[in-house]
């Protein structure tokens, strides 16, 4: 039963390779290119020459993609922001200390997340957003330290 | 696990508390308390879907006389866990300067097996051989944890059948395809007695008898008989069970998860800080115009922040700990740039 199959496949593979897409030409990942939160930036050190120019072009393109946008109708103390390539992970975790804050993902097939912030007198919505982000960052720092600490204690306790 | 009375002292302190109750090479069971559920959930989401690992993404089949179709085998290959140690130094191939793939953004693996005996032959992940230059000697090697050292079964060959192919493994995240997930499963649980009524447990006649108690039920005070419902109560203790699929050790999944969150935040803070410079931000121009609006804190504040921002990305593979600095205000983010807040207001 296996024999005829082997033959058939051999003939197929012998004839076909030329028409196959070479691996190097296959399309790259479908992940959005501007989702750069965690990618290692190869262009950190600008270089000279032709290569350098290319790198600069790329950098310019990247900068054009604005990931945070202030939506029309915003005032200094009551503003709506649109985040590209962010979702519940950031939207729900972001809890600035303000009069009102809410987030929404207007449509599931659009990679956008909107945040509405209304502040008390004395701070602007942008400042409140920035503070919210930085507070969350500090929380991450603290949890990392606590986790490393707990791991060390656990390792020490199980060794003894 | 035994209830550790030490935790009571810790819990009274301000700020989040972490306690590990069980840990080995496959899983870490730990408790995060004194934070809100939104942070705990974000951490869970990020550990599931956004930690970069490496997985087979392209397969070139030279010979396949097995009974399985080429694409079927390619799919199976994609799901084989590969070692992701040192993944930070690997580029996403979309960010690489090369044309397609190279040793800076991919790992090549070869599989060649032919059944020459008269028994069916099993082809395992151990038969996948990494070739060519690699960032380090383990990145991209199939994870093999069974006692025989075989790894997952890829396919079987009848006598005379042959499989010969070349794979390119690339860096990616599980948000794009689950094959890049570092974790096999992440348990996430809170409020074991359902005091907060976040769950509406279905039952035939008696929910207590039909729903077995969680292993964490003993860790928290059960509700008193006839206790009134506390409308203001919020969840405070979160029980994680992080189980790795092999690419990264379970404790690294946790620290990498926090790192991904950090990078997300750092990127946004950086962009917000830059935004003063371009007029496209808003329609009503309250911060438009000028190269950099004063409300974004010119000069020292900006530079100081940028200094903090580059650390987590530039940090060597050795780790998160050094790159993130000490606790609280002493962090790379917290010290100079916005300690007092004066430079921002
Ligand atoms: Zn490359």
């Amino acid at each position: 039963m296996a024999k005829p199959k082997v033959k058939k496949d051999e003939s197929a593979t012998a004839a076909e390779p030329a028409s196959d897409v070479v691996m190097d030409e296959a399309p790259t990942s479908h992940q959005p290119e501007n989702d750069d939160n965690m990618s290692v930036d190869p262009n950190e050190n600008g270089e000279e020459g032709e290569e350098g120019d290319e790198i600069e072009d790329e950098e310019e393109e990247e900068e054009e993609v604005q990931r945070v946008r202030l939506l029309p109708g915003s005032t200094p103390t009551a503003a709506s922001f649109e985040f590209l390539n962010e979702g519940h992970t950031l939207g729900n975790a972001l809890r600035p200390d303000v009069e009102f804050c809410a987030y929404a993902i207007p449509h599931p097939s659009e990679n956008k997340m909107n945040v509405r912030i209304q502040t008390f007198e004395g701070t602007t919505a942008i400042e409140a957003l920035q503070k919210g982000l930085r507070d969350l960052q500090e929380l991450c720092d603290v949890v990392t330290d606590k986790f490393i600490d707990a791991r060390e204690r656990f390792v020490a306790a199980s060794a003894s | 696990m035994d209830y550790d009375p030490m935790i009571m002292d810790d819990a009274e302190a301000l700020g989040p508390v972490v306690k590990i109750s069980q840990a080995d090479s496959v899983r870490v069971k730990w408790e995060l308390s004194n934070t809100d559920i939104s942070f705990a959930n974000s951490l869970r989401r990020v550990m599931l879907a956004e930690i970069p690992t490496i997985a087979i993404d392209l397969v070139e089949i030279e010979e396949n006389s097995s009974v399985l179709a080429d694409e079927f085998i390619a799919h199976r290959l994609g799901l084989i866990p590969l070692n992701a140690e040192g993944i930070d130094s690997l580029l996403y191939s979309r960010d690489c300067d090369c044309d397609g793939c190279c040793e800076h953004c991919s790992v090549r693996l070869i599989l060649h097996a032919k059944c020459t005996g008269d028994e069916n032959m099993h082809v395992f992940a151990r038969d996948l051989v990494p070739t060519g230059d690699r960032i380090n000697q383990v990145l991209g090697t199939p994870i093999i944890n069974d006692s025989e050292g075989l790894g997952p079964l890829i396919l079987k060959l009848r006598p005379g059948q042959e499989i010969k192919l070349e794979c390119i493994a690339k860096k990616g995240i599980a948000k794009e395809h689950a094959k890049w997930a570092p974790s096999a499963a992440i348990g996430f649980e809170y409020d074991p007695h359902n005091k907060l009524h976040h769950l509406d447990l279905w039952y035939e006649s008696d929910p207590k008898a039909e729903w077995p108690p969680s292993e964490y039920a003993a860790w928290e005070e059960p509700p008193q008989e006839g206790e009134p419902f506390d409308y203001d109560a919020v969840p405070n203790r979160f029980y994680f069970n992080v189980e790795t699929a092999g690419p990264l050790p379970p404790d690294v999944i946790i620290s990498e998860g926090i790192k991904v969150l950090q990078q997300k935040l750092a990127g946004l803070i950086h962009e917000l800080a830059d935004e003063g410079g371009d007029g496209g931000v808003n329609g009503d121009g309250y911060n438009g115009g000028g190269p950099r609006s004063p409300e974004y804190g010119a000069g020292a504040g900006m530079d100081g922040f940028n200094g903090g921002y580059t650390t987590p990305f530039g940090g060597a593979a050795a780790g998160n700990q050094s790159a993130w600095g000490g606790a609280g205000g002493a962090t790379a983010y917290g010290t100079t740039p916005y300690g007092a807040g004066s430079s921002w207001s």
Side-chain angles (χ1 to χ4, degrees):
Chain A
M1 265 187 80
K3 260 199 174 168
K5 177 144 184 34
V6 171
K7 268 197 180 153
K8 203 174 157 196
D9 276 7
E10 270 171 357
S11 61
T13 42
E16 260 178 356
S19 64
D20 271 357
V21 178
V22 184
M23 230 189 297
D24 294 355
E25 286 167 13
T28 50
S29 153
H30 288 294
Q31 240 166 283
E33 302 223 349
N34 49 12
D35 186 7
D36 56 352
N37 344 350
M38 71 213 86
S39 60
V40 180
D41 189 358
N43 307 330
E44 209 69 74
N45 328 305
E47 277 154 49
E48 290 147 54
E50 270 178 42
E51 245 187 294
D53 290 341
E54 252 173 55
I55 287 168
E56 262 174 39
D57 287 350
E58 272 172 33
E59 259 174 6
E60 270 166 26
E61 273 170 41
E62 270 173 31
E63 266 170 46
E64 272 172 40
V65 182
Q66 201 174 39
R67 291 220 302 133
V68 191
R69 196 164 70 86
L70 199 63
L71 294 174
S74 299
T75 66
T77 56
S80 298
F81 302 89
E82 182 189 78
F83 290 77
L84 292 186
N85 296 319
E86 293 297 344
H88 298 283
T89 305
L90 181 81
N92 197 18
L94 194 60
R95 302 284 169 106
D97 181 23
V98 289
E99 188 178 15
F100 177 84
C101 181
Y103 83 99
I105 291 166
H107 197 281
S109 61
E110 272 189 321
N111 223 350
K112 290 175 179 171
M113 190 264 293
N114 292 351
V115 173
R116 173 78 180 173
I117 294 178
Q118 202 159 314
T119 60
F120 297 113
E121 206 72 13
T123 43
T124 66
I126 291 191
E127 284 167 352
L129 175 64
Q130 286 174 323
K131 181 156 192 318
L133 292 167
R134 290 193 306 267
D135 288 350
L136 199 53
Q137 216 172 26
E138 271 180 44
L139 177 59
C140 289
D141 287 343
V142 172
V143 172
T144 305
D145 291 336
K146 292 278 171 84
F147 180 75
I148 288 167
D149 232 48
R151 188 181 57 185
E152 275 168 13
R153 267 185 289 144
F154 183 86
V155 170
S158 39
S160 62
Chain B
M1 284 291 112
D2 282 317
Y3 187 80
D4 183 1
M6 284 288 286
I7 197 76
M8 288 308 287
D9 303 330
D10 287 346
E12 279 162 27
L14 282 173
V17 175
V18 172
K19 197 202 159 206
I20 297 175
S21 62
Q22 189 194 326
D24 53 40
S25 60
V26 177
R27 67 171 52 76
V28 178
K29 285 188 175 182
W30 60 293
E31 179 195 336
L32 176 65
S33 50
N34 265 10
T35 38
D36 49 355
I37 190 169
S38 60
F39 176 77
N41 190 43
S42 288
L43 183 54
R44 179 192 68 87
R45 287 171 63 92
V46 127
M47 288 193 292
L48 268 180
E50 296 187 48
I51 296 174
T53 62
I54 184 170
I56 290 171
D57 202 34
L58 295 168
V59 179
E60 192 164 25
I61 295 184
E62 200 174 308
E63 174 69 54
N64 174 20
S65 49
S66 80
V67 296
L68 301 182
D70 292 359
E71 50 270 57
F72 191 104
I73 295 169
H75 178 245
R76 289 181 70 76
L77 288 166
L79 297 174
I80 291 171
L82 306 179
N83 196 330
E85 197 184 323
I87 190 77
D88 281 358
S89 339
L90 193 74
L91 296 172
Y92 285 102
S93 56
R94 60 171 182 273
D95 294 334
C96 191
D97 291 331
C98 71
D99 195 24
C101 50
C102 68
E103 72 268 23
H104 302 297
C105 65
S106 64
V107 172
R108 274 173 192 266
L109 298 108
I110 283 176
L111 178 64
H112 186 193
K114 185 170 187 174
C115 182
T116 50
D118 30 69
E119 295 262 303
N120 283 357
M121 180 188 183
H122 294 193
V123 180
F124 293 98
R126 63 143 185 219
D127 302 314
L128 267 173
V129 186
T131 53
D133 288 333
R134 281 196 275 175
I135 298 239
N136 62 47
Q137 282 313 296
V138 292
L139 182 67
T141 305
I143 298 289
I144 291 164
N145 284 332
D146 55 311
S147 50
E148 291 105 294
L150 301 171
L153 179 66
I154 299 169
L155 50 85
K156 297 179 183 178
L157 298 173
R158 289 195 82 195
Q161 293 180 345
E162 185 181 2
I163 182 83
K164 188 175 186 190
L165 50 83
E166 194 175 322
C167 313
I168 291 178
K170 291 183 174 180
K171 183 175 177 175
I173 58 170
K175 215 171 160 181
E176 181 180 355
H177 192 292
K179 67 187 175 184
W180 278 297
S183 52
I186 293 181
F188 181 75
E189 187 182 336
Y190 63 93
D191 187 23
H193 299 294
N194 197 25
K195 279 174 162 175
L196 302 169
H197 296 198
H198 286 192
L199 294 176
D200 187 9
L201 299 173
W202 182 91
Y203 59 95
E204 292 271 5
S205 51
D206 178 15
K208 274 222 167 65
E210 291 161 38
W211 289 93
S214 146
E215 64 177 298
Y216 302 108
W219 296 32
E220 291 189 21
E221 216 39 52
Q224 303 299 311
E225 197 66 47
E227 183 184 306
F229 177 65
D230 181 358
Y231 292 91
D232 295 323
V234 288
N236 187 46
R237 301 175 68 180
F238 308 97
Y239 307 100
F240 288 85
N241 181 356
V242 178
E243 183 183 336
T244 180
L248 294 168
D251 55 328
V252 174
I253 293 180
I254 298 164
S255 49
E256 285 292 305
I258 305 175
K259 197 164 117 189
V260 169
L261 265 181
Q262 290 271 34
Q263 290 171 353
K264 220 183 236 305
L265 293 163
L268 287 168
I269 291 172
H270 182 67
E271 183 162 330
L272 276 174
D274 278 351
E275 224 170 54
D278 74 63
V281 198
N282 56 350
D284 52 18
Y286 76 82
N287 67 350
R292 189 154 279 171
S293 129
E295 70 184 289
Y296 286 97
M302 292 294 299
D303 296 339
F305 174 66
N306 287 339
Y309 165 73
T310 47
T311 14
F313 294 93
N320 326 315
Q321 190 175 11
S322 53
W324 295 349
T331 63
Y333 302 105
T335 33
T336 24
Y338 32 76
S342 56
S343 61
W344 295 93
S345 53

